[in-house]
Amino acid sequence: QYSLTYPERSEFDLKPLDLSGLGSLTFRKPDPKRFRALMFAWQVLELGGTAGAVLVGANQQVAQAFLDSKISFNKIFDISTKVLHAHNVVKNPALDDIFAAYKWALTEANKWISQES
């Protein structure tokens, strides 16, 4: 609720969630075809190094481009994937490498966004 009303704090009259009243919960492995972004996040974790900084930078740019109506929603994932695949991951990065990868991703994402606009 706070994330939806930030920076304000609105009153919200909702009972606390009682999980015991739900009965049972069922957990399944996510379908990789249906949840592509989740699988992509796992790929970024496996790559390690500067991959996370690239994902953050790319996602920041494409999400803003979507909010600004420059790209469609499904392009958020597509462009983020292209940016990551164009990046040469530094496996054991110094802090400067992480900042450089993040800045590179901002610029690279903007290139892809401009092609979509």
Side-chain angles (χ1 to χ4, degrees):
Q1 181 264 343
Y2 182 57
S3 65
L4 296 174
T5 61
Y6 179 85
E8 305 298 322
R9 287 194 180 259
S10 299
E11 292 296 323
F12 196 66
D13 187 26
L14 184 65
K15 296 177 190 173
L17 178 61
D18 179 11
L19 292 176
S20 65
L22 292 177
S24 65
L25 298 174
T26 304
F27 295 93
R28 296 186 183 104
K29 276 187 161 183
D31 178 356
K33 290 180 183 174
R34 188 170 180 199
F35 301 103
R36 296 181 314 155
L38 179 60
M39 298 302 118
F40 182 56
W42 281 111
Q43 178 186 6
V44 169
L45 285 171
E46 288 175 8
L47 286 170
T50 54
V54 169
L55 176 59
V56 169
N59 189 61
Q60 177 180 328
Q61 291 302 98
V62 294
Q64 189 61 54
F66 167 72
L67 292 173
D68 294 341
S69 300
K70 293 180 180 177
I71 61 172
S72 63
F73 179 78
N74 61 345
K75 291 296 179 181
I76 294 173
F77 174 79
D78 295 340
I79 294 173
S80 294
T81 302
K82 289 174 183 176
V83 171
L84 181 67
H85 288 154
H87 177 63
N88 293 318
V89 176
V90 176
K91 286 293 184 183
N92 295 305
L95 189 55
D96 287 344
D97 296 323
I98 294 168
F99 285 129
Y102 171 79
K103 289 179 183 179
W104 175 88
L106 297 174
T107 302
E108 187 70 13
N110 281 331
K111 289 178 191 175
W112 288 101
I113 291 164
S114 66
Q115 291 178 15
E116 296 293 330
S117 300

